[in-house]
């Protein structure tokens, strides 16, 4: 979502960092480009105006312009202001009460039911025992969808008899949670195609019936400034405590994500980054700002690695890398593990300095290059995977035919593997062993 904005900002700020001292005119020229980049990304006009004014005021200070590292200081100012812009409100996700009640609200099509299941999975990882409540009696198959998601996650779903009013469904759901000794209730409430008085009255009645500790508004980030308008309408009518922005992995311009908290005063608490139930991230303003400015997000990368990589396997892999016994079989296993962490472009964007390569990396995956790599390795014998020096011309031709690729593809992979072995050997040496262990999922 932020690729275009990120590229524009990196290019603009790069003109400042690529020189020694800078002048006020240089700052003004850069701020014009930043303003255009934010407006083209569909960020709220008033938010852009205030943001650029604050950055300029700090950047043209005498101590900054006189510095030999003025460009880097301006980038830091932009980063700090971006973090400030994204940091509105109390971003802590509260779960007090027995049971703690969380109400999910929003319009139809925003991803509310899927987000309910994602949030439940997130809560389970915290050691809690949630109950999902199907409180949307209007949308056909809404309860069925929630029940299917609940079964996949092994989380129970409460359904009330047909015709039960929504506030009563919520009340009965809380009673069911007490009977089943469940300590969190997540209400998947009804939505509408647009904001209307009946919807707001219903959510208000639910709030009065069960007093949720959190009322999370689910908004589709791909709808741009319309999402900001929806949030403003909900906030004016009901006590919204936080936002979940869905479809952050989409290709819309991203302006809603940057301006929604600044306009409404309501904090973003979670980001939906994909379709699967594990594609929910706790929102960290500093990490998102780092991604947008191409500084990476190593903390989220390590967290994902720790979640998807088995600790014992990670130690074994580190040992292999340290001893330079990394094989093509291991490479195949690592490729599969990395793909579990999310889209490759997204992963690349989290590595400092790799943001500009994220688009190319994702394009390569979309073209099927990873699939070709897997096919080539699978067409090898176990002995060939363990020892690529066995791969003479006839073996390579056989592998190309067996994998549905061609000889240059096989040669390229073998060459890349050799280079990767050298790189891994360098990374595993000296004092960098701990860093390598963290990146492949080991806890230290």
């Amino acid at each position: 979502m932020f690729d275009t904005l990120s590229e524009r900002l990196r290019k603009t700020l790069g003109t400042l960092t690529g020189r020694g001292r800078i002048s006020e005119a240089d700052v003004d020229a850069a701020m014009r480009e930043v303003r255009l980049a934010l407006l083209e990304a569909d960020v709220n006009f008033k938010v852009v105006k205030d943001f650029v004014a604050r950055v300029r005021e700090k950047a043209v200070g005498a101590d900054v312009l006189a510095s030999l590292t003025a460009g880097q200081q301006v980038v830091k100012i932009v980063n700090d202001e971006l973090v400030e812009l994204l940091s509105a409100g109390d971003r802590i996700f509260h779960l007090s009460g027995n049971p703690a009640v969380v109400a999910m609200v929003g319009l139809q099509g925003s991803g509310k039911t899927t987000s309910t299941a994602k949030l439940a999975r997130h809560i389970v990882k915290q050691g809690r025992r949630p109950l999902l409540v199907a409180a949307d009696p209007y949308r056909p198959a809404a309860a069925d969808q929630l029940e299917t998601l609940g079964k996949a996650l092994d989380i129970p779903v409460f359904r009330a008899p047909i015709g039960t009013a929504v506030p009563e469904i919520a009340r009965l759901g809380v009673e069911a949670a007490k009977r089943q000794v469940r300590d969190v209730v997540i209400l998947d409430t009804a939505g509408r195609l647009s904001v209307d008085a009946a919807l707001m009255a219903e959510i208000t009645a639910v709030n009065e019936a069960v007093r949720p500790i959190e009322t999370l508004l689910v908004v589709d980030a791909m709808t741009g400034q319309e999402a900001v308008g929806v949030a403003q309408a909900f906030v004016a009518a009901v006590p919204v405590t936080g936002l979940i922005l869905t479809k952050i992995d989409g290709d819309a311009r991203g302006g809603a994500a940057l301006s929604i908290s600044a306009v409404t005063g309501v904090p973003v608490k979670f980001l939906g980054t994909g379709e699967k139930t594990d594609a929910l991230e706790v929102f960290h303003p500093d990490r998102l700002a780092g991604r947008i400015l191409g500084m990476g997000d190593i903390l989220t990368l390590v967290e994902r690695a720790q979640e998807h990589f088995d600790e014992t396997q990670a130690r074994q892999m580190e040992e292999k890398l340290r001893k330079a016994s990394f094989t093509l079989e291991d490479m195949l296993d690592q490729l599969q593990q990395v793909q579990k962490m999310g889209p490759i472009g997204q992963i690349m964007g989290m590595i400092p300095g790799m943001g500009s390569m994220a688009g190319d990396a994702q394009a390569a995956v979309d073209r099927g290059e990873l699939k070709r790599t897997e096919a080539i390795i699978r067409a090898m014998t176990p002995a060939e995977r363990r020892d690529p020096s066995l791969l003479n011309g006839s073996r390579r031709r056989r592998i190309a035919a067996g994998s549905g690729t061609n000889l240059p593809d096989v040669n390229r992979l073998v060459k890349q593997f050799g280079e990767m072995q050298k790189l891994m050997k360098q990374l595993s040496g000296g004092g960098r062993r701990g860093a390598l262990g963290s990146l492949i999922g080991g806890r230290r």
Side-chain angles (χ1 to χ4, degrees):
M1 177 167 285
F2 301 106
D3 285 354
T4 303
L5 173 62
S6 183
E7 188 177 335
R8 285 281 301 272
L9 290 178
R10 280 200 305 268
K11 186 176 178 182
T12 299
L13 296 173
T15 62
L16 296 178
T17 56
R19 62 181 78 180
R21 286 191 171 90
I22 60 175
S23 67
E24 189 170 335
D26 295 328
V27 173
D28 286 338
M31 287 306 101
R32 278 196 296 274
E33 289 299 315
V34 169
R35 182 187 295 109
L36 282 173
L38 292 171
L39 289 173
E40 286 177 11
D42 201 24
V43 180
N44 179 276
F45 172 75
K46 186 177 183 304
V47 171
V48 173
K49 184 180 176 184
D50 293 345
F51 176 83
V52 171
R54 288 198 305 274
V55 172
R56 187 191 180 284
E57 183 182 353
K58 293 180 180 179
V60 297
D63 55 336
V64 174
L65 294 180
S67 170
L68 289 174
T69 59
Q72 285 88 338
Q73 290 190 46
V74 173
V75 173
K76 184 180 184 306
I77 291 167
V78 172
N79 180 69
D80 291 346
E81 288 298 326
L82 199 51
V83 172
E84 183 67 25
L85 178 69
L86 296 166
S87 297
D90 175 12
R91 290 181 295 101
I92 297 171
F93 180 53
H94 298 277
L95 283 179
S96 56
N98 191 22
V101 180
V102 179
M104 306 287 279
V105 302
L107 298 182
Q108 285 184 10
S110 60
K112 186 157 43 64
T113 299
T114 308
S115 296
T116 299
K118 290 177 181 179
L119 184 63
R121 186 182 186 277
H122 172 76
I123 288 170
V124 167
K125 286 194 293 182
Q126 295 181 345
R128 307 296 290 260
R129 290 166 45 82
L131 172 71
L132 301 177
V133 176
D136 182 355
Y138 311 117
R139 184 168 66 87
D144 292 339
Q145 181 189 357
L146 189 64
E147 200 156 50
T148 300
L149 290 166
K151 280 180 182 175
L153 296 170
D154 196 25
I155 297 172
V157 176
F158 174 79
R159 299 180 66 163
I162 294 172
T164 308
V166 173
E168 183 64 9
I169 294 174
R171 192 185 63 77
L172 292 172
V174 171
E175 289 181 2
K178 291 177 180 176
R179 288 195 304 272
Q180 297 174 33
V181 198
R182 295 274 157 179
D183 55 5
V184 180
V185 173
I186 308 178
L187 307 173
D188 179 27
T189 68
R192 299 284 196 282
L193 291 174
S194 61
V195 176
D196 62 31
L199 172 62
M200 296 307 177
E202 190 171 83
I203 295 170
T204 301
V206 168
N207 184 71
E208 291 173 355
V210 293
R211 299 292 176 191
I213 185 69
E214 290 275 6
T215 299
L216 299 179
L217 172 61
V218 182
V219 291
D220 181 350
M222 291 187 70
T223 58
Q225 288 306 308
E226 185 183 331
V228 178
V230 168
Q232 285 178 301
F234 270 87
V235 169
V238 293
V240 176
T241 59
L243 302 165
I244 297 180
L245 293 182
T246 63
K247 306 177 189 175
I248 287 292
D249 56 320
D251 58 0
R253 291 177 290 174
L258 296 182
S259 49
I260 195 165
S261 287
V263 173
T264 64
V266 178
V268 176
K269 297 199 175 185
F270 296 96
L271 299 177
T273 57
E275 292 294 324
K276 295 181 180 178
T277 52
D278 62 349
L280 186 77
E281 288 183 11
V282 175
F283 178 66
H284 298 282
D286 54 336
R287 299 187 190 184
L288 181 58
R291 285 191 221 178
I292 292 170
L293 295 178
M295 298 174 183
D297 181 2
I298 204 70
L299 289 174
T300 299
L301 180 62
V302 171
E303 284 171 4
R304 285 203 194 178
Q306 289 175 339
E307 183 177 344
H308 290 94
F309 281 69
D310 177 79
E311 190 173 347
T312 304
Q313 286 180 322
R315 284 207 190 98
Q316 291 171 349
M317 183 57 62
E318 184 184 354
E319 191 67 20
K320 285 188 175 189
L321 294 173
R322 194 169 62 83
K323 292 180 177 178
S325 59
F326 185 72
T327 68
L328 279 161
E329 215 152 41
D330 297 322
M331 181 180 175
L332 178 61
D333 181 58
Q334 291 302 296
L335 283 173
Q336 292 169 336
Q337 293 286 348
V338 167
Q339 287 179 77
K340 291 179 184 176
M341 292 168 61
I344 295 296
Q346 200 179 92
I347 300 301
M348 290 287 284
M350 294 179 191
I351 302 173
M354 294 286 196
S356 60
M357 299 168 61
D360 291 339
Q362 189 59 51
V365 174
D366 295 341
R367 289 194 302 268
E369 290 184 19
L370 275 187
K371 293 292 182 187
R372 278 195 290 277
T373 298
E374 288 185 26
I376 291 169
I377 297 175
R378 290 185 188 282
M380 297 176 185
T381 66
E384 289 167 344
R385 293 176 196 168
R386 287 192 294 271
D387 184 7
S389 65
L390 297 173
L391 296 173
N392 57 24
S394 62
R395 285 176 184 254
R396 293 186 189 205
R397 283 191 291 273
R398 188 205 80 233
I399 291 164
S403 61
T405 59
N406 54 48
L407 188 58
D409 288 334
V410 177
N411 290 337
R412 193 179 306 115
L413 173 61
V414 174
K415 183 181 178 183
Q416 286 173 343
F417 176 71
E419 292 170 352
M420 185 188 234
Q421 273 189 316
K422 290 177 188 173
L423 176 64
M424 291 300 183
K425 193 172 181 181
Q426 290 170 359
L427 280 172
S428 61
R432 287 172 285 187
R433 185 181 170 196
L436 177 63
S438 295
L439 280 174
I440 63 171
R443 295 179 186 273
R444 300 201 171 272

